[in-house]
Amino acid sequence: MESATERAMESATANAADLVVRNAKIHTGDPGRPRAGALAVRDGVLTAVGDDKDVAALIGPGTKVVDALGRRLVPGLNDSHLHVIRGGLNYVLELRWDGVPTLRQGLAMLREQAARTPKGQWVRVVGGWSAEQFAERRLPTVAELNAAAPDTPVFVLHLYQSAVLNRAALAAAGYTRDTPEPRGGQIVRGRDGEPTGMLLAAPSALVLYSTLAKAPVLEGEDKKTSTRHFLRELNRFGLTSAIDAAGGFQNFPENYSTVVELAAAGQLSLRIAYHLFPQTAGQEIADLRRWIEMARPEDGDEWLRLNGAGENLTWSAADFENFAQPRPELSADYEGDFEAAVRLLMENGWGFRLHATYDETIRRDLAVFEKLAADGLFPAGNRWLFDHAETVSADSLDRIAALGGAMSVQNRLSFQGEAFVRRYGPGAAADAPPVRAMLERGLTVGAGTDATRVSTYNPWIALHWLITGRTVGDLVVRPPHNRVDRHTALAMFTEAGAALTGEEGVKGVLRPGCLGDFAVLSEDYFTVPEPDIARIESLLTVVGGRIVYAAAEYEGLDEALPPVSPEWSPVARFGGYQAASGGVSGARQAELLGEAVAESELHRQWRTRRDPAPGTGGPVLDPCFGL
């Protein structure tokens, strides 16, 4: 006969949590209970959010108990615009300059990686950095890339503006004096007509991305390994969800197969809601119609789900975000195809997201939506949003609100703020984008990074930008009237992202019944000095009750990953984001800056000796920097 003690033990075991975190400073995001000290997760869902006494009865023999040691715990971050699928397929092939403080360090990393890279492979630096973050405030030159890697192809992408290639990369890409100029781009040539190694977006970045596409890609299991390591890198910063914005060179379904296979095997550590983006101009309607027959939005589960079309619907309606160039003039009649695409989506229950940098584009798009709305065809109960919207006007925001739209903003001006100010002036930059005006109209405004080809994937850089208005070069672009407080910024990275995928009832806040997604932070986000917000990382990231990232005192609690493959991968040697460990002392920072400035002056003198400007004796303008 079973004893009372045995029955009590069985009952405790039946109700026991899989994971309990106690002794935490929890920001729940739930107005009903904004603060807590402990939580419990069972079967991927929060079963208790309260104090230590509220979870004590849920601790059984198999419960994993984690002491947060008084640290801040927040809902898992959700990047509302991240090219996570494409980023995962390439992550282990890329040398990341994200967070690197000097060009000198970046070139040293590049030189070492070139020596490790086997014949036939490229060294590629693709996004996550800006010349403004370096103490030297400049790009690498072709000569420096040739010196660092005489025989290994090197491709260095700088924002949406340019790419620098060494001579080996020019040869590997097949660029010669006879190569025709690409549409919307420029191959910079020397006096002899030969390519110098500089590619310019003028204003389209297609020449940059099509050149990068000539580099070798991963095959087979290496694509899965790369994606898993990229997701772990995102977990490192407390990310538990992302909305994939699709993008160029991301074909459906073939380029989505890796995340589909990982989801089927239960090996995703980040929840992904994805979009579909027609890849071929002139074929957009046919692609959309084919996809509508294959799938429906919200197909999938809480780990991997279709969220709709975009961020482009038709190529003719896409403007470019290269702020070093004038605003592009779109074709005078793109509305015909664009309206057909929107009508098709609305009639079949598909929402969408739409890339639009400039108000001139947004106004034209809104006219199409309003025409359809007059016939009762828009938005027809479907979710839709504008992405980016750096120069959106107050009138356009009113029209977006009237049509039930939403917004997703990214910190592209963290990296391009200086270029934007030079072209449009500080007044325009102050409201680029007008985040506060969006929020004041009651719009849902999700926040993201637009990583990985321009901005870094580190969400704390974006949070720092939302709160301080500063670029990675420390230029104040957005004044106080267009900044948000820390609570609002965090909600844009949690609750708003969930709303953009229709999941606001199950994630973005921490309350019983919601998904068990959260992060224990290295510093208290709500109290650290503003400059230190950008240095925050997660020490423990949990998705659905699974510990997917663990560092410091929690190291070893997370799931094992296969080794980085191939072995020569830059990630195997350098990792991803280059965080400053504990910051740099004032004296050492001044010393590093002095070294960088001295090296920059030596570089200037070398250029002067090599190609002096007759009769001036002053600095020489290098055409490589004519951006």
Side-chain angles (χ1 to χ4, degrees), residues 239-320:
L239 280 163
T240 59
S241 291
I243 310 176
D244 186 272
F249 301 93
Q250 184 171 309
N251 292 294
F252 181 80
E254 53 267 37
N255 294 135
Y256 292 70
S257 62
T258 296
V259 291
V260 169
E261 291 172 16
L262 290 175
Q267 293 177 335
L268 290 180
S269 64
L270 185 87
R271 305 185 193 277
I272 300 172
Y274 61 89
H275 286 254
L276 302 184
F277 179 138
Q279 297 293 305
T280 306
Q283 189 179 306
E284 299 98 328
I285 304 300
D287 282 343
L288 291 172
R289 185 171 288 112
R290 176 166 53 89
W291 296 337
I292 286 169
E293 294 173 355
M294 295 171 61
R296 291 190 59 81
E298 299 184 10
D299 278 356
D301 57 23
E302 68 268 20
W303 286 99
L304 184 66
R305 57 194 279 137
L306 173 61
N307 199 50
E311 62 182 291
N312 276 358
L313 303 183
T314 60
W315 281 94
S316 59
D319 54 18
F320 299 107

Side-chain angles (χ1 to χ4, degrees), residues 154-427:
V154 174
F155 175 97
V156 178
L157 177 70
H158 185 238
L159 308 177
Y160 298 105
Q161 299 174 8
S162 59
V164 191
L165 285 68
N166 68 350
R167 68 171 67 93
L170 284 173
Y175 289 143
T176 69
R177 64 184 302 148
D178 299 320
T179 302
E181 287 295 297
R183 183 177 179 181
Q186 180 185 354
I187 300 171
V188 179
R189 304 173 194 271
R191 300 184 190 92
D192 57 1
E194 294 289 343
T196 64
M198 183 65 108
L199 305 179
L200 299 180
S204 169
L206 183 60
V207 64
L208 313 180
Y209 299 151
S210 60
T211 302
L212 178 60
K214 297 175 184 287
V217 298
L218 294 171
E219 300 292 345
E221 288 297 311
D222 282 346
K223 292 190 291 187
K224 292 182 185 178
T225 300
S226 177
T227 296
R228 293 185 68 185
H229 278 274
F230 184 48
L231 299 186
R232 174 66 61 88
E233 175 74 353
L234 299 177
N235 299 148
R236 168 188 168 191
F237 296 102
L239 280 163
T240 59
S241 291
I243 310 176
D244 186 272
F249 301 93
Q250 184 171 309
N251 292 294
F252 181 80
E254 53 267 37
N255 294 135
Y256 292 70
S257 62
T258 296
V259 291
V260 169
E261 291 172 16
L262 290 175
Q267 293 177 335
L268 290 180
S269 64
L270 185 87
R271 305 185 193 277
I272 300 172
Y274 61 89
H275 286 254
L276 302 184
F277 179 138
Q279 297 293 305
T280 306
Q283 189 179 306
E284 299 98 328
I285 304 300
D287 282 343
L288 291 172
R289 185 171 288 112
R290 176 166 53 89
W291 296 337
I292 286 169
E293 294 173 355
M294 295 171 61
R296 291 190 59 81
E298 299 184 10
D299 278 356
D301 57 23
E302 68 268 20
W303 286 99
L304 184 66
R305 57 194 279 137
L306 173 61
N307 199 50
E311 62 182 291
N312 276 358
L313 303 183
T314 60
W315 281 94
S316 59
D319 54 18
F320 299 107
E321 55 280 79
N322 178 4
F323 300 125
Q325 294 282 335
R327 178 180 62 82
E329 294 294 336
L330 303 184
S331 63
D333 58 353
Y334 80 68
E335 284 86 350
D337 287 343
F338 181 69
E339 179 182 335
V342 176
R343 183 184 294 270
L344 177 65
L345 294 171
M346 295 299 99
E347 290 175 344
N348 288 277
W350 276 56
F352 63 86
R353 68 188 312 154
L354 196 60
H355 167 109
T357 302
Y358 300 99
D359 191 54
E360 289 81 357
T361 306
I362 292 170
R363 290 200 305 266
R364 292 177 66 177
D365 295 345
L366 285 170
V368 171
F369 302 159
E370 288 163 345
K371 176 184 175 182
L372 294 172
D375 294 331
L377 299 175
F378 189 92
N382 300 303
R383 290 189 301 273
W384 71 277
L385 64 102
F386 275 116
D387 278 305
H388 316 311
E390 275 84 0
T391 71
V392 65
S393 65
D395 176 67
S396 292
L397 289 176
D398 290 337
R399 294 165 69 187
I400 293 167
L403 289 168
M407 308 297 299
S408 175
V409 298
Q410 300 78 41
N411 63 314
R412 303 194 303 180
L413 263 64
S414 284
F415 297 86
Q416 300 184 90
E418 289 81 0
F420 192 98
V421 169
R422 286 193 292 270
R423 179 157 298 281
Y424 298 108

